[in-house]
Amino acid sequence: MASRRGLKKDLNYIYSDLMLDAFAAYQASKKSDEKAASALLKKISDNFSDFKKRASHTDGKSNRKVVRAYYKNLWDEVLKDILALSEETEKL
């Protein structure tokens, strides 16, 4: 990650792609539950807004090591969230 702006763009791209995948999975499946799909789409949207907000506000702005650790931890959480949401999309 080179900048906050780049991180936010990556988050936007990743979560919009997850949203499209979830919607396509719902449309393709004949046995999908509309409420489950709606809940999944809301969860994706909520997680995206949460991570985007967290990317904007850094802890320890004056200490470079703290900032790097913060963004590394944030990116690790994003990756875990993406994997979990992908699995939920596959179950849809």
Side-chain angles (χ1 to χ4, degrees), residues 25-88:
Y26 168 71
Q27 291 290 325
S29 178
K30 298 187 189 277
K31 60 181 179 179
S32 288
D33 181 22
E34 184 176 336
K35 290 182 181 181
S38 177
L40 178 61
L41 292 172
K42 182 171 177 11
K43 185 175 181 181
I44 292 171
S45 176
D46 290 345
N47 290 358
F48 167 67
S49 64
D50 177 51
F51 284 122
K52 190 172 178 184
K53 285 177 189 174
R54 288 175 56 193
S56 297
H57 303 289
T58 309
D59 292 339
K61 293 182 183 178
S62 60
N63 189 347
R64 189 176 183 125
K65 287 182 182 181
V66 172
V67 171
R68 285 182 184 228
Y70 176 79
Y71 281 115
K72 177 155 178 32
N73 185 29
L74 180 68
W75 187 248
D76 290 342
E77 288 180 35
V78 167
L79 292 178
K80 288 178 187 176
D81 185 54
I82 291 167
L83 291 174
L85 291 172
S86 311
E87 290 174 4
E88 287 185 43

Side-chain angles (χ1 to χ4, degrees), residues 8-24 41 44-45 47-49 82 85 89:
K8 288 179 186 179
K9 284 185 176 185
D10 290 344
L11 288 173
N12 189 22
Y13 175 74
I14 290 168
Y15 280 95
S16 63
D17 197 35
L18 273 173
M19 187 84 72
L20 288 173
D21 287 345
F23 189 70
L41 292 172
I44 292 171
S45 176
N47 290 358
F48 167 67
S49 64
I82 291 167
L85 291 172
T89 300

